[in-house]
Amino acid sequence: MDQLITGDFQVNGDAYEPKTLVDGAYRQLRRDIIEGRHAPGAKLRVEHLKDEYEVGAGTLREALALLVSDSLVVAQGQRGFRVAPISLADLEDITRTRVMLESEALRQSIAHGDEAWEGNLVSAFHLLTRAEEKLAGDLDGSVNEWEERNRVFHETLIGACGSRWIRHFLAILYRQSERYRRISVLNRPVPQDVHEEHEQIFKAAIARDADEACRLLSGHIWRAFHTVSAVPEFAQESASRKVANGR
Amino acid sequence: MDQLITGDFQVNGDAYEPKTLVDGAYRQLRRDIIEGRHAPGAKLRVEHLKDEYEVGAGTLREALALLVSDSLVVAQGQRGFRVAPISLADLEDITRTRVMLESEALRQSIAHGDEAWEGNLVSAFHLLTRAEEKLAGDLDGSVNEWEERNRVFHETLIGACGSRWIRHFLAILYRQSERYRRISVLNRPVPQDVHEEHEQIFKAAIARDADEACRLLSGHIWRAFHTVSAVPEFAQESASRKVANGR
DNA sequence: AAAGCCAAAAATCTCGAGAAAAAACGTTGA
DNA sequence: TCAACGTTTTTTCTCGAGATTTTTGGCTTT
């Protein structure tokens, strides 16, 4: 199957070389939004951004249009583009939907996964473990590496799920979650419990214990939600939700 | 809340006035793809389409980029755009995913729906019934009206579901399903059984019988799948799937 | 006759400038 | 002092033309 330029996850670890400027701007912009360099709700002025990303105005507009797909950018007719806003209520919705889809996907993956899948999973878990060790060692640049390997681990877990659509939706939801997680890790580094959770999920998956794996995975995802909701910025958000409702 | 130009379903029945040329081209193009005027897998040449839709090349490109969101168009780097291909396997995936999401959504909707929701549902069912009567009367232009009201009915059913994300994903899946259904109805008009199914679902929903409503709705959606799979074009497709795999 | 290669043609991708709309600002009047 | 209005400024939206890349077609060679 052809490699789609706007496809979901990059399964192989190779560095992705953008084939077109639009694609390059799209990836760069997506990353900058997920990692919070463009704040939620912020206006995305084409005039400024075209200089920052070194492309023409039309090119940047097209990249922004692609980002509407992932619900990372919203377009308001005749009033330009904005970074999609965030809220605790939204994260709760994302989390609940993700738990439902990811449970189903994991169940299918465990049912249908072959030995190649097991191999990929062992590999992904190992790399994630190494990254978590580095993270505990407090190396500064290792956060991005951990994020990347965490993503690959979760992606591999459901990799043998036969449903492309579920995987597609999960890719979207994962990116959304990542935005929130990036905010929470700014305040507090990744807790050490997370490694143990990953290990338990990993073992249950290899043991083909679907019920246990889903139970653990659900707890894992919900725990991330609670970690974010404990962050002060969001505590105040849920208080001012009524205000935000107006308009 | 602001009206997003690339939002999901249009809830109110008012005619939507596109605020920008990009938005207009996007809607028109989306409709033309769903209704099969652009065949699945067909190449979408910007040079031709810009004349057909009477917009500039850049504008049309942006509209196409928006369509990638709905997975109705795929972009192949440096090789232009194509209408997303279809296959029976894809429809099966769509159907299975849709059943899962729509069951959950309907359950939530029945649990949380207030009287306003009931009112909307009664109204949507009534309009759908009228459209089905016209359809039985064999009026030619009434197919589009039926499609529209069928969409509104299904949308209203899950309208009280609290999860925006589930509704968003269902909107995407519904559009995908519609492409397939449009093909099957070309061969055989909507069966009269469908009205009875709608009525049963409607009654179960009003009676707040979630289990029964979900059971009926699942059967309803799966029946649509089987109707399509019986169409000759798809029977041969599933036979030639191996060929299609090769690039 | 089939495979490989080179040149012509088509299509894509990209950019900057002009038209239209929205936002910002200062002015005027009650 | 406040509100409403008109002008200025900024930003968005749109278009057509030029540079790259892909594809097509024909030619040569084995």
Side-chain angles (χ1 to χ4, degrees):
Chain A
M1 168 179 272
D2 286 353
Q3 172 69 44
L4 305 182
I5 65 165
T6 57
D8 297 332
F9 285 141
Q10 192 70 16
V11 275
N12 55 354
D14 303 340
Y16 179 77
E17 191 66 30
K19 291 294 176 226
T20 135
L21 288 187
V22 170
D23 194 31
Y26 164 73
R27 304 246 165 202
Q28 216 173 326
L29 210 32
R30 188 174 74 183
R31 192 182 179 90
D32 287 345
I33 290 173
I34 289 175
E35 300 188 2
R37 279 186 286 278
H38 296 297
K43 202 137 188 3
L44 293 167
R45 290 183 201 78
V46 178
E47 295 296 304
H48 288 182
L49 268 54
K50 80 187 181 104
D51 297 330
E52 186 177 341
Y53 294 93
E54 298 176 327
V55 293
T59 303
L60 191 68
R61 278 188 68 83
E62 200 177 320
L64 286 170
L66 284 172
L67 279 164
V68 175
S69 65
D70 306 312
S71 293
L72 287 171
V73 166
V74 292
Q76 311 163 285
Q78 299 282 35
R79 284 194 293 171
F81 298 90
R82 281 184 170 280
V83 179
I86 62 176
S87 71
L88 198 58
D90 184 48
L91 179 60
E92 192 174 342
D93 186 10
I94 289 168
T95 303
R96 179 167 285 115
T97 308
R98 212 185 130 198
V99 164
M100 171 175 52
L101 289 176
E102 204 145 337
S103 295
E104 174 63 23
L106 182 55
R107 227 170 264 281
Q108 287 185 27
S109 206
I110 287 176
H112 301 119
D114 56 7
E115 292 188 334
W117 170 69
E118 284 185 12
N120 290 335
L121 192 56
V122 171
S123 166
F125 176 69
H126 176 75
L127 291 174
L128 178 59
T129 303
R130 283 272 183 265
E132 278 162 346
E133 289 168 359
K134 276 187 232 172
L135 211 57
D138 228 16
L139 300 173
D140 219 28
S142 52
V143 176
N144 282 331
E145 193 182 55
W146 179 84
E147 269 292 348
E148 168 70 11
R149 296 188 177 177
N150 184 49
R151 179 179 72 70
V152 171
F153 175 68
H154 280 270
E155 171 72 2
T156 307
L157 263 179
I158 62 164
C161 160
S163 170
R164 284 170 199 269
W165 281 99
I166 290 181
R167 293 211 307 273
H168 174 63
F169 291 150
L170 279 175
I172 293 174
L173 290 176
Y174 188 89
R175 283 194 205 101
Q176 294 286 333
S177 312
E178 196 174 348
R179 294 176 75 200
Y180 292 87
R181 183 168 52 250
R182 291 278 180 171
I183 294 172
S184 74
V185 291
L186 285 182
N187 300 35
R188 192 212 309 194
V190 181
Q192 51 274 53
D193 307 337
V194 170
H195 172 66
E196 208 167 323
E197 290 185 25
H198 282 149
E199 187 170 9
Q200 287 184 304
I201 294 169
F202 166 69
K203 284 181 176 169
I206 292 291
R208 308 275 173 167
D209 187 344
D211 288 338
E212 178 71 357
C214 285
R215 195 183 63 78
L216 291 166
L217 184 59
S218 299
H220 178 64
I221 297 172
W222 274 112
R223 194 136 24 234
F225 167 73
H226 289 120
T227 302
V228 174
S229 67
V231 172
E233 280 126 294
F234 284 100
Q236 83 182 22
E237 165 135 6
S238 73
S240 64
R241 196 177 298 166
K242 271 179 298 189
V243 180
N245 251 1
R247 225 316 112 130
Chain B
M1 168 178 275
D2 286 353
Q3 172 70 43
L4 306 181
I5 65 165
T6 57
D8 297 331
F9 285 142
Q10 192 70 14
V11 276
N12 55 355
D14 302 340
Y16 179 76
E17 192 65 30
K19 290 293 176 226
T20 131
L21 287 187
V22 170
D23 195 31
Y26 163 72
R27 304 247 163 200
Q28 216 173 327
L29 210 34
R30 188 174 74 184
R31 191 180 179 91
D32 287 346
I33 290 174
I34 290 175
E35 299 188 2
R37 279 186 286 278
H38 296 296
K43 202 136 188 0
L44 292 167
R45 291 184 199 78
V46 178
E47 296 296 305
H48 287 183
L49 268 53
K50 80 187 180 106
D51 298 330
E52 186 177 340
Y53 292 92
E54 298 177 326
V55 293
T59 303
L60 190 67
R61 278 188 69 83
E62 201 176 319
L64 286 170
L66 284 173
L67 280 164
V68 175
S69 65
D70 305 313
S71 293
L72 287 171
V73 166
V74 292
Q76 311 161 287
Q78 297 284 36
R79 286 194 291 170
F81 298 90
R82 282 183 170 280
V83 178
I86 63 174
S87 71
L88 198 58
D90 184 47
L91 180 59
E92 191 175 343
D93 186 9
I94 289 168
T95 303
R96 178 167 286 114
T97 308
R98 212 185 130 198
V99 164
M100 171 175 52
L101 289 176
E102 203 145 339
S103 295
E104 174 63 24
L106 181 56
R107 227 171 264 281
Q108 287 186 27
S109 205
I110 287 177
H112 301 120
D114 55 7
E115 292 188 334
W117 170 70
E118 283 185 12
N120 291 334
L121 193 55
V122 171
S123 166
F125 176 70
H126 176 74
L127 291 174
L128 177 59
T129 302
R130 282 274 183 265
E132 278 161 348
E133 288 167 0
K134 275 187 234 173
L135 211 57
D138 228 16
L139 300 173
D140 219 28
S142 52
V143 176
N144 281 332
E145 193 182 56
W146 179 84
E147 269 293 347
E148 168 70 12
R149 295 189 178 177
N150 183 50
R151 180 180 72 69
V152 172
F153 175 69
H154 280 270
E155 170 73 4
T156 307
L157 262 179
I158 63 164
C161 160
S163 170
R164 284 171 199 270
W165 281 100
I166 291 182
R167 293 210 309 272
H168 174 63
F169 291 150
L170 278 175
I172 293 174
L173 290 176
Y174 188 89
R175 282 193 206 104
Q176 295 286 334
S177 315
E178 195 174 348
R179 293 176 75 201
Y180 292 87
R181 184 168 51 250
R182 289 279 181 171
I183 293 171
S184 74
V185 292
L186 286 182
N187 300 35
R188 192 211 309 193
V190 180
Q192 51 275 57
D193 307 339
V194 170
H195 172 66
E196 206 167 324
E197 289 184 27
H198 282 147
E199 187 170 9
Q200 287 184 303
I201 295 169
F202 166 69
K203 284 181 177 171
I206 292 292
R208 309 276 173 167
D209 187 344
D211 289 337
E212 178 71 357
C214 286
R215 195 182 64 77
L216 291 166
L217 184 60
S218 298
H220 178 65
I221 296 172
W222 274 112
R223 194 137 23 234
F225 166 73
H226 289 119
T227 302
V228 173
S229 67
V231 172
E233 280 126 293
F234 283 99
Q236 84 182 20
E237 165 137 4
S238 75
S240 65
R241 195 176 300 165
K242 271 180 299 190
V243 181
N245 250 2
R247 235 251 136 159

